Amino acid sequence: METGHRGTKGYRFSYLQESEDIKTEIQQLEDPNNPEPLIDLAFCRLYDHYFAHGFDVELFDTLQDRFGQEAIQAYLNRRQASSSEILKAELSDINLLSDEACWNQFITDKERIFKNALDLLNFYHDWWLLGIGKEKSEPLQRMEQTGIMDPIDNTTLAEWNRFDALYPAISFALSFIIHHHGNSEIIQKIALTNLEDVPDMWGKDLWLQRRAMIACVQRDGLSFIMNNLNQIRYELIYYILLKIDTSSADLKKLKEAILTEDEHPMRGMMESEHIIELMNKFVDQPA
């Protein structure tokens, strides 16, 4: 993010996920429909912006101008064809985003939205994160389907397609619950549940986890991380420290908690030294 470099597809995803100024970010997309999932991500940010800041037709117009009406219609058609009935009607209706009266009418029925959102997120948690009922494949079977020998990814193509179809609705549901039911247990469950299988190629499922973790830390402070330290990857802690303002006192407590660990159970690519170095940097910065 700090480099300003948007040259690769991966960087374009990172900026579209993390930028605070989503309108400018959409305007700066050089090739907005490549890769195609960028439009799904742009709509996810749009829905979240509406929940956080209210209806904003200028943001929708920016998205529509940049991606083009053909891509917008294709996106809405995919939502209409989604395998889930939950939130399908809302996410396939362009009027919801372009007509303030339509949005206001929709958002008044918070009880129904909450029920649907909660049902969808609980399904996502059990199915995608825990793998309950998820169809798995063997390496040779995947070789026949895709022509690629991948010994790690054991999710079938049909399940990947199902995830892609449901993803905007899942993101929509998470945004609604974070902004309107911030104490819901499902937010914490998504924040603390690490994927059983390989993540999505563009990290869309990991992005949901980061958003849930931010919501938990904004609600409870760094004590949320300290109380659940053995369930959180160091990479996720590092990310949270970059995204959220924290006090020196809280950083000191977190540092002590990390230093007292014998061995962190959530092994990844990052070591405790990286977290300590970042916290020291923050503490040493002038006020």
Side-chain angles (χ1 to χ4, degrees), residues 38-83:
L38 276 173
I39 194 168
D40 281 341
L41 181 52
F43 268 94
C44 290
R45 290 299 310 271
L46 180 69
Y47 293 126
D48 189 67
H49 181 90
Y50 276 27
F51 284 132
H53 305 290
F55 183 84
D56 186 349
V57 72
E58 288 186 6
L59 180 56
F60 171 74
D61 289 341
T62 297
L63 191 156
Q64 184 167 246
D65 291 344
R66 196 73 192 92
F67 285 91
Q69 291 187 355
E70 183 177 340
I72 297 294
Q73 190 57 54
Y75 165 84
L76 296 174
N77 290 342
R78 290 198 302 276
R79 301 286 64 77
Q80 183 62 40
S82 169
S83 59

Side-chain angles (χ1 to χ4, degrees), residues 10 49 53 61 63 67 72 82-83 89 93 100 120 132 155 157 210 243 251 255-256 258 276 280:
H49 181 90
H53 305 290
D61 289 341
L63 191 156
F67 285 91
I72 297 294
S82 169
S83 59
D93 184 3
E100 186 169 8
L120 183 56
I132 299 173
T155 302
L157 182 60
R210 295 200 301 273
K243 291 286 286 187
L251 287 173
K255 180 179 177 180
E256 291 173 351
I258 291 175
I276 302 302
N280 288 340

Side-chain angles (χ1 to χ4, degrees), residues 80-94:
Q80 183 62 40
S82 169
S83 59
S84 172
E85 292 297 327
I86 298 177
L87 302 172
K88 178 190 289 189
E90 290 87 350
L91 296 187
S92 61
D93 184 3
I94 196 170

Side-chain angles (χ1 to χ4, degrees), residues 11-200:
Y11 275 109
R12 274 175 265 167
F13 258 85
S14 298
Y15 271 90
L16 205 51
Q17 287 176 341
E18 303 298 340
S19 176
E20 299 292 337
D21 185 358
I22 184 60
K23 187 178 296 184
T24 299
E25 199 54 50
I26 291 174
Q27 290 172 334
Q28 292 183 353
L29 287 172
E30 295 180 3
D31 189 3
N33 293 303
N34 182 25
E36 187 180 84
L38 276 173
I39 194 168
D40 281 341
L41 181 52
F43 268 94
C44 290
R45 290 299 310 271
L46 180 69
Y47 293 126
D48 189 67
H49 181 90
Y50 276 27
F51 284 132
H53 305 290
F55 183 84
D56 186 349
V57 72
E58 288 186 6
L59 180 56
F60 171 74
D61 289 341
T62 297
L63 191 156
Q64 184 167 246
D65 291 344
R66 196 73 192 92
F67 285 91
Q69 291 187 355
E70 183 177 340
I72 297 294
Q73 190 57 54
Y75 165 84
L76 296 174
N77 290 342
R78 290 198 302 276
R79 301 286 64 77
Q80 183 62 40
S82 169
S83 59
S84 172
E85 292 297 327
I86 298 177
L87 302 172
K88 178 190 289 189
E90 290 87 350
L91 296 187
S92 61
D93 184 3
I94 196 170
N95 294 319
L96 187 68
L97 302 170
S98 58
D99 185 331
E100 186 169 8
C102 184
W103 171 263
N104 289 338
Q105 182 179 359
F106 159 71
I107 204 65
T108 56
D109 194 359
K110 289 185 173 62
E111 185 175 341
R112 182 184 67 86
I113 301 173
F114 175 58
K115 180 184 181 304
N116 289 339
L118 194 60
D119 287 346
L120 183 56
L121 292 181
N122 278 314
F123 167 76
Y124 166 74
H125 173 267
D126 295 345
W127 164 66
W128 191 256
L129 299 183
L130 296 181
I132 299 173
K134 184 193 287 187
E135 186 179 277
K136 303 292 182 71
S137 65
E138 296 299 327
L140 292 178
Q141 181 184 350
R142 294 194 296 277
M143 180 69 178
E144 292 179 2
Q145 290 180 331
T146 66
I148 300 173
M149 174 56 74
D150 187 341
I152 300 176
D153 179 12
N154 64 351
T155 302
T156 65
L157 182 60
E159 291 289 64
W160 279 118
N161 290 338
R162 188 182 187 190
F163 170 77
D164 287 335
L166 288 173
Y167 181 75
I170 295 167
S171 177
F172 179 97
L174 181 61
S175 292
F176 175 82
I177 287 187
I178 285 174
H179 290 293
H180 292 284
H181 296 271
N183 290 322
S184 294
E185 183 185 5
I186 188 60
I187 303 174
Q188 179 171 322
K189 287 169 65 177
I190 291 175
L192 295 177
T193 303
N194 294 292
L195 280 162
E196 289 289 324
D197 300 315
V198 174
D200 165 73

